[in-house]
Amino acid sequence: MNDLLLCKPGEIFLKGLNKHYFEERLVANVKRRLKPIGHFRVTYLQSALYIEAADDAADLDAAYDAVRKVFGIATITRAAACEKDKDAITALAKTYLHDAMTAARSFKVETKRSDKRFPMTSIELSQYVGGELAEAFPNTVVDVHDPELTVRLEVREQAAYVHAQAVEAAGGMPVGTAGKGMLLLSGGIDSPVAGHMIAKRGMVLEGLHFHSYPYTNMQAREKVEELARILSEYTGGLTLNVVSVTHIQEEIHRHCPEEMMITLLRRFMMRIAERLCKATGAQCIVTGESLGQVASQTIEGMTSSNAVVSLPVLRPLVGFDKTEIVERSRAIGTFETSIRPFEDCCTVFLPKHPLIRPKLSDVEAAESKLDVEALVEEAMASLEKVRF
């Protein structure tokens, strides 16, 4: 019995003449993700991805966990292969799904016959195997409408496959098919979710984190590094750029109206992000802002931030409420890290009454008291890179 992983891609099937480009990228991403785990054979045939252990040392369980997080794969399941013969398929179903059939109170068989040369139709094979299973497992009844277990058969070009219900995987498009973005990664709940969502559309990401040491501590930075590590499990790797904005905040606090602290700081963050984009080949800036969620995330605040950069600013969470963001954070595994009680740079010199609807001309007038270019250059000189 040949145990393997059977993966189905998602949106790739919608592509036209350039579909091969997306398929090749998906296969390359899967191979790269599997490389640290062991030696595997990865085959893409008939719009399905087959992953088999190439030797006894290859850990198929670890491969399952890793590949399930690869963007571009819609579903994944453990399966077993056999020759394309009705009795061989029946025998495999009895042995491979023995425990599941024994535990289930009802079942049905569904067949997908991609190889039209197979002499039985999908319905005929389902009926044949279903009858044999019903006889072999008399305590499990057939229920074609609402079964507890669905036995799935696939007759494909190279073999027949038996498996139970497929599990939902990461979905989306293969990373590397939609350009590159610079994610502003704070220690909060929102920005990791924004990064996950935009990477799911196929974008390669780099992270950018701003710290205010010594006002913020190393534990705050370690939290962000852990968030970057979790994201890297989905993106296949992530470079985190770390930049100090301590002096920028001190200068804003010293020379500008208190209520403009966050607005002015966001403008500096955008400038630094654009500098890094140009240095790394990133084509846009990605933030975790949600419209109206906090004082700085009004349309006026976003307009003020956008005004200092020429690159597109993507805000995938702009229409989400906090409950939706938290649900996604839990689903991708970042929530518990995000809620660790270590403050980020935005809490430093936090005004009692931040400006909610900043007027751009007033913001620019306040900012004119600062040596903007020198402060940006100083911040860029503090740049550190951490690779996950």
Side-chain angles (χ1 to χ4, degrees), residues 188-293:
I189 295 171
D190 302 342
S191 56
V193 176
H196 180 274
M197 289 179 64
I198 212 70
K200 187 174 181 176
R201 303 310 310 148
M203 182 168 281
V204 174
L205 287 181
E206 285 206 19
L208 171 57
H209 176 63
F210 299 100
H211 72 87
S212 300
Y213 185 81
Y215 300 107
T216 56
N217 56 36
M218 286 303 296
Q219 289 173 308
R221 173 170 168 172
E222 289 166 1
K223 179 173 80 165
V224 173
E225 290 183 357
E226 175 62 12
L227 290 171
R229 186 198 63 75
I230 295 170
L231 277 180
S232 74
E233 295 177 2
Y234 295 93
T235 61
L238 184 75
T239 296
L240 179 64
N241 300 275
V242 183
V243 171
S244 171
V245 290
T246 304
H247 191 215
I248 291 173
Q249 289 180 280
E250 290 173 339
E251 288 296 287
I252 295 172
H253 181 66
R254 187 176 296 119
H255 298 290
C256 303
E258 179 190 26
E259 65 272 15
M260 287 192 181
M261 168 59 75
I262 301 299
T263 300
L264 294 172
L265 178 60
R266 293 293 296 181
R267 285 163 64 88
F268 275 97
M269 289 177 172
M270 288 295 189
R271 290 185 177 101
I272 293 166
E274 187 170 61
R275 290 277 188 98
L276 273 172
C277 285
K278 292 177 179 178
T280 61
Q283 299 151 292
C284 64
I285 299 167
V286 183
T287 81
E289 292 166 291
S290 171
L291 186 62
Q293 182 171 241

Side-chain angles (χ1 to χ4, degrees), residues 1 80 82 87-99 101 109 129 133 137 151-153 162-163:
M1 182 170 59
C82 66
D87 293 319
I89 295 169
T90 301
L92 180 59
K94 289 178 181 179
T95 55
Y96 189 66
L97 298 178
H98 178 274
D99 291 346
M101 285 294 301
V109 178
V129 175
L133 290 174
F137 300 91
V151 175
R152 300 182 185 275
L153 313 177
V162 174
H163 60 89

Side-chain angles (χ1 to χ4, degrees), residues 20-322:
H20 289 300
Y21 165 73
F22 295 91
E23 293 171 340
E24 289 168 2
R25 175 64 68 172
L26 177 61
V27 171
N29 290 351
V30 168
K31 287 181 176 179
R32 185 172 64 249
R33 196 69 58 89
L34 291 173
K35 191 173 182 180
I37 299 172
H39 298 291
F40 296 88
R41 289 186 292 273
V42 180
T43 309
Y44 194 97
L45 286 172
Q46 293 181 300
S47 298
L49 197 67
Y50 304 86
I51 301 171
E52 301 172 86
D55 54 43
D56 293 339
D59 187 342
L60 207 61
D61 291 330
Y64 179 96
D65 292 337
V67 173
R68 190 179 177 187
K69 293 180 178 179
V70 174
F71 289 124
I73 294 177
T75 64
I76 183 172
T77 185
R78 294 287 288 261
C82 66
E83 61 182 292
K84 292 182 285 185
D85 172 80
K86 65 178 183 178
D87 293 319
I89 295 169
T90 301
L92 180 59
K94 289 178 181 179
T95 55
Y96 189 66
L97 298 178
H98 178 274
D99 291 346
M101 285 294 301
T102 301
R105 289 170 293 183
S106 61
F107 80 100
K108 73 172 180 178
V109 178
E110 288 187 354
T111 300
K112 180 179 180 180
R113 186 179 65 119
S114 299
D115 183 358
K116 303 306 181 185
R117 296 170 299 177
F118 189 74
M120 302 173 73
T121 67
S122 296
I123 293 175
E124 288 171 344
L125 183 58
S126 293
Q127 291 174 337
Y128 179 80
V129 175
E132 294 293 312
L133 290 174
E135 187 174 325
F137 300 91
N139 294 325
T140 305
V141 300
V142 176
D143 182 351
V144 297
H145 300 294
D146 188 25
E148 193 171 305
L149 172 68
T150 300
V151 175
R152 300 182 185 275
L153 313 177
E154 299 194 30
V155 182
R156 291 179 168 268
E157 185 177 319
Q158 68 276 32
Y161 300 89
V162 174
H163 60 89
Q165 181 64 43
V167 174
E168 185 177 329
M173 297 297 293
V175 170
T177 60
K180 184 176 182 180
M182 183 67 63
L183 171 67
L184 303 192
L185 187 61
S186 71
I189 295 171
D190 302 342
S191 56
V193 176
H196 180 274
M197 289 179 64
I198 212 70
K200 187 174 181 176
R201 303 310 310 148
M203 182 168 281
V204 174
L205 287 181
E206 285 206 19
L208 171 57
H209 176 63
F210 299 100
H211 72 87
S212 300
Y213 185 81
Y215 300 107
T216 56
N217 56 36
M218 286 303 296
Q219 289 173 308
R221 173 170 168 172
E222 289 166 1
K223 179 173 80 165
V224 173
E225 290 183 357
E226 175 62 12
L227 290 171
R229 186 198 63 75
I230 295 170
L231 277 180
S232 74
E233 295 177 2
Y234 295 93
T235 61
L238 184 75
T239 296
L240 179 64
N241 300 275
V242 183
V243 171
S244 171
V245 290
T246 304
H247 191 215
I248 291 173
Q249 289 180 280
E250 290 173 339
E251 288 296 287
I252 295 172
H253 181 66
R254 187 176 296 119
H255 298 290
C256 303
E258 179 190 26
E259 65 272 15
M260 287 192 181
M261 168 59 75
I262 301 299
T263 300
L264 294 172
L265 178 60
R266 293 293 296 181
R267 285 163 64 88
F268 275 97
M269 289 177 172
M270 288 295 189
R271 290 185 177 101
I272 293 166
E274 187 170 61
R275 290 277 188 98
L276 273 172
C277 285
K278 292 177 179 178
T280 61
Q283 299 151 292
C284 64
I285 299 167
V286 183
T287 81
E289 292 166 291
S290 171
L291 186 62
Q293 182 171 241
V294 296
S296 64
Q297 294 178 15
T298 59
I299 189 63
E300 293 88 352
M302 293 179 186
T303 299
S304 173
S305 298
N306 287 359
V308 298
V309 295
S310 59
L311 289 178
V313 181
L314 305 185
R315 295 178 171 93
L317 304 182
V318 70
F320 282 58
D321 64 33
K322 197 64 177 185

